[in-house]
Amino acid sequence: MLTLEWESEGLQTVGIVVIICASLKLLHLLGLIDFSEDSVEDEMEMATVRHRPEALELLEAQSKFTKKELQILYRGFKNECPSGVVNEETFKEIYSQFFPQGDSTTYAHFLFNAFDTDHNGSVSFEDFVMGLSILLRGTVQEKLNWAFNLYDINKDGYITKEEMLDIMKAIYDMMGKCTYPVLKEDAPRQHVETFFQKMDKNKDGVVTIDEFIESCQKDENIMRSMQLFENVI
């Protein structure tokens, strides 16, 4: 079924859905899908962690989560990450648990860099919240900007074929070959060519943020995928 969905929905939809699904895997691991009525406000204030989060009121104002949701997010985050931050190795370990049939190392690396907005080698609770806020509650424009930033590996404002190929190979490796036995080894490159034929409007060999957003907004499958995971927590 995944093979048929992959082939029918196309590269762009799959890439964006995988971004959101991977984030939901992290939420599930942290036990954040089901709400609890227990308050953790006192725990947040008293916790002895090396990195203390910003005030809930500030995060509530900056994100699209309520104070109650932020309390629950923090409890799960702190339980799994007592230091208050997540490093890349921990990030990779988390995703390896949910994609045991494949190798999620490279994709987790790319996703970690997208969450690590200040590029200091760690993801704080604030980084985590702001990323999830965009992926789960953001506007279409915000989600597409976030996705573009993931694909733009060197952060120069353009997506090259090499960057997109690296991302596609990482997705294929993570999903595992057993998921799509009919696909050939050159399938990632073929998907990249399809991506560029559709999005590289001026045929200059790179995709800009404007080209990316314009093409995505005209794709019904992508627009549907933007709404699949809204309000999951």
Side-chain angles (χ1 to χ4, degrees):
M1 181 176 179
L2 182 54
T3 301
L4 294 176
E5 184 175 331
W6 185 292
E7 294 175 343
S8 63
E9 299 260 330
L11 165 69
Q12 299 86 358
T13 304
V14 171
I16 291 171
V17 168
V18 167
I19 293 171
I20 301 176
C21 281
S23 300
L24 292 182
K25 295 291 188 183
L26 185 56
L27 280 175
H28 179 70
L29 175 72
L30 297 178
L32 303 175
I33 297 299
D34 295 321
F35 274 3
S36 163
E37 295 302 320
D38 297 333
S39 173
V40 294
E41 187 169 8
D42 292 339
E43 181 182 4
M44 171 175 272
E45 294 176 354
M46 299 297 293
T48 55
V49 295
R50 290 194 295 273
H51 178 90
R52 291 184 177 277
E54 298 174 8
L56 281 183
E57 291 76 13
L58 180 57
L59 280 177
E60 185 180 2
Q62 292 176 338
S63 73
K64 299 179 188 294
F65 294 121
T66 65
K67 184 175 181 179
K68 176 65 175 177
E69 290 170 335
L70 288 169
Q71 289 172 340
I72 295 165
L73 283 169
Y74 182 72
R75 179 175 58 189
F77 189 89
K78 179 177 175 291
N79 284 343
E80 292 298 325
C81 315
S83 67
V85 296
V86 181
N87 60 33
E88 185 171 336
E89 288 308 309
T90 301
F91 213 76
K92 290 177 179 178
E93 290 173 7
I94 288 172
Y95 282 101
S96 68
Q97 295 178 41
F98 287 98
F99 297 96
Q101 75 277 22
D103 182 358
S104 60
T105 303
T106 304
Y107 190 79
H109 166 73
F110 292 140
L111 201 60
F112 178 85
N113 285 342
F115 273 100
D116 180 18
T117 54
D118 53 7
H119 308 297
N120 65 353
S122 63
V123 173
S124 66
F125 179 65
E126 293 87 347
D127 295 331
F128 179 67
V129 164
M130 297 311 297
L132 286 181
S133 176
I134 292 172
L135 289 173
L136 301 180
R137 302 278 175 83
T139 64
V140 168
Q141 179 93 10
E142 289 171 335
K143 291 177 182 178
L144 292 176
N145 272 311
W146 201 94
F148 182 89
N149 180 62
L150 173 72
Y151 297 146
D152 178 18
I153 296 174
N154 67 359
K155 314 305 178 193
D156 65 351
Y158 302 95
I159 300 175
T160 65
K161 287 187 177 182
E162 291 75 16
E163 287 174 322
M164 181 53 64
L165 183 59
D166 287 343
I167 294 288
M168 283 310 305
K169 286 181 176 178
I171 292 174
Y172 274 55
D173 288 344
M174 180 173 66
M175 301 306 294
K177 292 184 178 180
C178 60
T179 307
Y180 39 83
V182 299
L183 296 183
K184 300 178 180 179
E185 289 187 4
D186 63 345
R189 188 172 297 278
Q190 291 175 357
H191 279 305
V192 171
E193 291 300 326
T194 300
F195 176 94
F196 271 80
Q197 288 174 12
K198 183 175 183 178
M199 295 201 172
D200 184 12
K201 301 296 185 182
N202 61 1
K203 308 303 179 186
D204 63 351
V206 297
V207 172
T208 65
I209 182 66
D210 291 336
E211 289 174 325
F212 181 80
I213 291 177
E214 179 184 352
S215 296
C216 288
Q217 288 178 332
K218 292 179 179 178
D219 190 303
E220 292 182 2
N221 290 327
I222 292 177
M223 290 299 97
R224 262 199 313 273
S225 76
M226 294 288 96
Q227 302 173 353
L228 288 178
F229 305 103
E230 291 181 355
N231 298 315
V232 297
I233 66 170

